[in-house]
Amino acid sequence: MPRSRLPLVLLALLASGAVAQSRHNARAPIDFSAAHIELQDRANRAVLSGAVVVRQAEMTLRAERMTVAYTGRVLDGSPQVSRLDAAGGVTVTRPDQSARGNYAVYDLNRRVITMIGGVTLTQGGNNVKGGRLTINLDSGRAVIDGATAARGGTGATGTTSQSNGRVTGRFSVPDRAAGSRD
């Protein structure tokens, strides 16, 4: 394969999710810690604030504030969580990748995480930046685009950066022996 096509192949692999090797167990229990929790039972939600950490299987979400929406159903003494909304320095880490952004929504029913606002996806030495990231936890597919729904808005940590509509990034290239050509 000519050297000029190598970055395009790496980009296609990243966009297709081929680089995301592990499948997430979205049925695993969710553990959390926070400085403060406010239960709003009539609204079927809990608001966590202050260095919030949420863990499910091998995935960790961190944010300054998180709203946990749950159904009215209780299973084994616990409400059934349907959605997590996170704001303020949001990070999602999995064994093979990490993502950062201003806001995130984890839809547990669809098993999809959507992050917006100054998003960066990192795996090994590769990183891609854009306005919006969608991660399908079933397939491992991650898609980044330059658009963001929060253009110029003000969030918990200040003004979100305006996206110029472009996705940017850097891919690492393995060190090859001087005589080797691909």
Side-chain angles (χ1 to χ4, degrees):
M1 175 180 307
R3 284 183 185 252
S4 63
R5 294 194 53 199
L6 182 62
L8 295 175
V9 170
L10 289 172
L11 180 59
L13 286 173
L14 183 63
S16 73
V19 294
Q21 301 294 323
S22 63
R23 183 180 166 124
H24 177 69
N25 179 3
R27 295 180 189 262
I30 296 172
D31 297 313
F32 70 89
S33 67
H36 182 79
I37 183 169
E38 176 185 335
L39 296 174
Q40 301 173 353
D41 279 337
R42 289 188 179 161
N44 287 339
R45 70 177 169 230
V47 179
L48 309 169
S49 59
V52 179
V53 178
V54 170
R55 287 188 174 84
Q56 184 182 42
E58 294 182 333
M59 182 175 69
T60 303
L61 285 84
R62 297 177 192 276
E64 273 308 305
R65 179 179 170 93
M66 197 170 303
T67 301
V68 180
Y70 50 90
T71 67
R73 293 185 13 209
V74 175
L75 182 64
D76 297 328
S78 298
Q80 299 301 292
V81 175
S82 59
R83 179 176 160 139
L84 301 172
D85 290 84
V90 180
T91 62
V92 176
T93 55
R94 299 176 56 192
D96 56 349
Q97 64 188 196
S98 67
R100 297 188 191 314
N102 295 331
Y103 307 96
V105 174
Y106 176 13
D107 183 333
L108 279 84
N109 296 325
R110 291 181 42 226
R111 295 173 188 70
V112 171
I113 296 175
T114 304
M115 300 181 79
I116 59 172
V119 173
T120 302
L121 175 65
T122 303
Q123 181 173 357
N126 304 318
N127 70 65
V128 180
K129 297 178 182 183
R132 179 177 52 204
L133 163 66
T134 304
I135 304 169
N136 181 310
L137 296 171
D138 283 341
S139 68
R141 184 175 185 208
V143 177
I144 287 190
D145 62 44
T148 179
R151 282 186 200 270
T154 300
T157 59
T159 303
T160 60
S161 60
Q162 282 220 352
S163 170
N164 65 0
R166 306 287 294 170
V167 176
T168 62
R170 172 170 283 184
F171 294 110
S172 61
V173 178
D175 189 18
R176 295 188 184 0
S180 170
R181 302 239 176 200
D182 285 336

